[in-house]
């Protein structure tokens, strides 16, 4: 099995142009918003959010997420993580313990920064603000936030994303984001040029999402009905 190739750049300018080429004999996965240690996402928290996950405690949620990751992802699989890995305490030790966990999870992992990841230091792990992924003839444009008509929801690097918008073909482009914690795989954020964008928040499948489940940007979304079926790619 081949390895993904990248430019491994560290500067902000290069990081926002980050391209990953995934070999066709690899399995590609997407996942976002694990929120390890986030108490308010659990039903047992007295001040929990209106929309919670089906876990009584963070310990139960964290264990279930680790088990799902280990169940789906194998060594050598490629994983695009789209932000918000940890929030609050993890195993009583906070951020440091969470990043030690990151190192133990299987897969060749690439980290795209979320709104709760702003304190991550470069020496802790390699992070970027978005990723452009080439895989089996398709281009996956990935960021934490949903894409809007200007391609840059709540992000400071709009210029680079606007430039990308002009050269991407919606028939071969797959827009991928997290952040919303919605169980709907297809984002309802409206766009002028691209119609479908794929949400890979943990809450969609309660686990990682394989590339074969995602739709290209030229599909039309009416509620949960698409104008034509997704083409499965082996």
């Amino acid at each position: 099995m081949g390895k993904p190739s990248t430019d491994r750049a560290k500067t902000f300018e290069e990081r926002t142009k980050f391209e990953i080429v995934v070999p066709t004999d690899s399995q590609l996965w997407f996942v976002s918003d694990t929120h390890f240690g986030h108490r308010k996402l659990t039903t047992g928290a007295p001040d929990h959010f209106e929309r919670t996950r089906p876990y009584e405690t963070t310990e139960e949620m964290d264990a279930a997420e680790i088990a799902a990751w280990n169940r789906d992802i194998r060594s050598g699989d490629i994983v695009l993580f789209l932000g918000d890995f940890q929030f609050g305490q993890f195993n009583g030790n906070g951020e440091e313990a969470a990043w030690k966990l990151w190192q133990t999870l299987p897969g060749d992992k690439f980290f795209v920064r979320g709104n709760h990841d702003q304190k991550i230091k470069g020496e802790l792990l390699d992070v970027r603000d978005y990723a452009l992924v080439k895989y089996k003839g398709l281009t996956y444009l990935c960021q934490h936030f949903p894409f809007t008509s200007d391609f840059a929801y709540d992000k400071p690097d709009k210029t680079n994303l606007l430039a990308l918008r002009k050269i991407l073909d919606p028939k071969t482009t797959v827009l991928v984001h997290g952040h919303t914690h919605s169980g709907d795989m297809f984002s309802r954020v409206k766009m002028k040029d691209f119609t479908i964008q794929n949400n890979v928040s943990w809450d969609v499948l309660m686990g990682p999402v394989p590339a074969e489940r995602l739709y290209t940007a030229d599909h039309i979304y009416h509620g949960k009905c698409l104008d034509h079926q997704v083409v499965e790619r082996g």
Side-chain angles (χ1 to χ4, degrees):
M1 180 178 292
K3 292 289 187 181
S5 60
T6 72
D7 60 12
R8 295 296 183 187
K10 295 295 185 180
T11 67
F12 175 82
E13 290 76 12
E14 290 299 320
R15 193 166 62 242
T16 57
K17 300 175 184 177
F18 200 91
E19 182 173 301
I20 301 166
V21 178
V22 177
T24 57
D25 61 346
S26 297
Q27 176 61 53
L28 176 62
W29 298 87
F30 297 88
V31 65
S32 178
D33 296 272
T34 46
H35 279 248
F36 284 107
H38 197 164
R39 183 175 55 85
K40 290 187 176 183
L41 287 176
T42 62
T43 59
D47 54 348
H48 61 70
F49 294 136
E50 181 178 351
R51 185 171 62 202
T52 59
R53 294 173 178 174
Y55 310 109
E56 179 72 15
T57 65
T58 55
E59 290 78 12
E60 181 186 356
M61 180 179 74
D62 295 348
E65 291 182 335
I66 293 170
W69 189 301
N70 290 330
R71 175 198 67 212
D72 292 340
I73 296 172
R74 301 288 180 263
S75 176
D77 288 356
I78 312 304
V79 183
L80 265 293
F81 185 82
L82 302 188
D84 289 3
F85 185 70
Q86 174 264 349
F87 186 93
Q89 292 292 304
F90 175 72
N91 286 346
N93 297 310
E95 189 173 283
E96 182 178 354
W99 302 126
K100 287 181 180 178
L101 168 64
W102 170 262
Q103 298 298 326
T104 68
L105 292 171
D108 292 332
K109 304 181 293 294
F110 296 87
F111 197 107
V112 174
R113 191 192 309 271
N115 56 300
H116 292 300
D117 303 317
Q118 298 306 313
K119 294 182 180 180
I120 299 175
K121 298 179 180 179
E123 62 268 22
L124 192 59
L125 75 162
D126 191 12
V127 295
R128 57 203 53 83
D129 297 292
Y130 81 82
L132 191 67
V133 183
K134 302 294 186 65
Y135 179 62
K136 294 187 177 180
L138 297 178
T139 298
Y140 296 79
L141 185 58
C142 311
Q143 68 175 27
H144 177 68
F145 299 100
F147 297 90
T148 64
S149 58
D150 66 3
F151 248 44
Y153 176 88
D154 200 22
K155 298 294 288 181
D157 52 344
K158 292 186 178 183
T159 302
N160 289 318
L161 295 179
L162 285 169
L164 273 176
R165 175 187 178 188
K166 297 176 181 178
I167 64 173
L168 294 177
D169 179 357
K171 294 184 181 301
T172 57
T173 299
V174 184
L175 303 178
V176 194
H177 71 84
H179 183 64
T180 66
H181 293 240
S182 168
D184 189 346
M185 185 176 290
F186 307 111
S187 174
R188 301 188 182 207
V189 176
K190 294 182 179 180
M191 300 183 63
K192 294 178 181 177
D193 299 293
F194 293 146
T195 304
I196 285 294
Q197 51 181 316
N198 299 270
N199 169 36
V200 295
S201 297
W202 187 269
D203 310 76
V204 171
L205 297 181
M206 290 297 170
V209 179
E212 289 75 16
R213 293 288 298 269
L214 304 184
Y215 285 64
T216 56
D218 66 331
H219 285 73
I220 299 174
Y221 176 48
H222 300 289
K224 289 191 176 181
C225 299
L226 301 179
D227 66 332
H228 56 283
Q229 294 297 312
V230 65
V231 176
E232 294 291 340
R233 300 178 297 281

